Amino acid sequence: MAWDTAEIIARVRDRAELDANSTLMTSAVLLRMVNQALEQISLEKDWPWLHASGPLVTVATARTAATPTGWIRTISLVEASTGEALTRRAARALDEIVATGKPYLYSVAGNTIAVAPIPDAVYSYTHRYVRFEPTLTDASTGVPLIPQVYGQGVVEWAAKLALLKTKQFEKAAQAQKDYQDWLKRVVDNVNQGQAPLRIEPRPGAWF
């Protein structure tokens, strides 16, 4: 379960003490800041809620395939029919393999996955990877992947951006500190597999 964008934006307004009728800090502006916050959090750690998988199919004589939209980094590449995992190697090592056959190695360079030997047939794999949060486009009903119990980090980072835009630099610095404190708690929480963090209620919200 996650907060929708209407709830996140309302919490950002409360956190940054923004006027709900401001023509500068509109919902559209705050939505962009929420998306920036989600992207920032995506890059902090391989969060379990951002793990994804999908098919990757090689073509005979072609060793490369593009990564999927929103991809950050690859976790594994597993042959779909056998469950055998390919071994990851540096891209340079694969470039030196010019033989054809059934691939058993893979590399990642830029946004491209390469396998070796060069495929001699069509092979299907399950590609497990970490992705970015999808960009939210609706300021009312959009729902991010990050669980509700960890949503305060989105609020803190977006509030920091809002406070910087309104030139409230001391408050922005405090929001940055609060975000770093949140990040440390959540990383420890996820690493240790503990119960989720307590949700902080928004003033006036029914919880």
Side-chain angles (χ1 to χ4, degrees), residues 56 65-71 74 108 110-113 127:
L56 187 148
T67 56
T69 301
W71 170 91
T74 293
V108 181
N111 294 324
T112 300
I113 295 175
H127 178 213

Side-chain angles (χ1 to χ4, degrees), residues 17-190:
E17 299 179 326
L18 301 173
D19 184 349
N21 298 316
S22 171
T23 57
L24 175 65
M25 305 306 295
T26 63
S27 292
V29 170
L30 292 174
L31 179 62
R32 288 197 296 272
M33 293 176 177
V34 167
N35 277 316
Q36 288 176 278
L38 290 168
E39 181 175 351
Q40 175 65 31
I41 292 170
S42 296
L43 294 170
E44 299 283 10
K45 181 179 170 61
D46 287 352
W47 304 109
W49 58 84
L50 296 181
H51 285 200
S53 65
L56 187 148
V57 180
T58 63
V59 179
T61 74
R63 76 155 79 235
T64 61
T67 56
T69 301
W71 170 91
I72 298 177
R73 49 191 154 268
T74 293
I75 299 171
S76 66
L77 194 62
V78 177
E79 188 174 357
S81 61
T82 65
E84 295 178 0
L86 276 67
T87 301
R88 185 165 181 167
R89 290 287 186 267
R92 182 179 299 177
L94 266 66
D95 290 341
E96 297 172 353
I97 301 174
V98 296
T100 60
K102 180 180 178 180
Y104 59 90
L105 302 173
Y106 80 97
S107 68
V108 181
N111 294 324
T112 300
I113 295 175
V115 296
I118 298 170
D120 59 355
V122 173
Y123 293 97
S124 297
Y125 302 95
T126 299
H127 178 213
R128 298 189 177 94
Y129 61 97
V130 181
R131 61 181 169 178
F132 280 107
E133 283 271 3
T135 300
L136 301 174
T137 59
D138 190 304
S140 298
T141 61
V143 179
L145 298 174
I146 187 171
Q148 177 175 305
V149 290
Y150 300 134
Q152 189 60 30
V154 182
V155 174
E156 294 296 349
W157 190 271
K160 182 197 77 168
L161 297 177
L163 290 163
L164 287 173
K165 188 173 180 65
T166 54
K167 302 186 186 306
Q168 300 181 69
F169 300 117
E170 290 187 7
K171 290 183 178 180
Q174 182 59 52
Q176 171 72 32
K177 181 182 181 303
D178 291 345
Y179 171 81
Q180 294 298 334
D181 291 344
W182 167 89
L183 181 62
K184 184 180 184 306
R185 292 196 308 273
V186 173
V187 168
D188 290 346
N189 183 270
V190 170

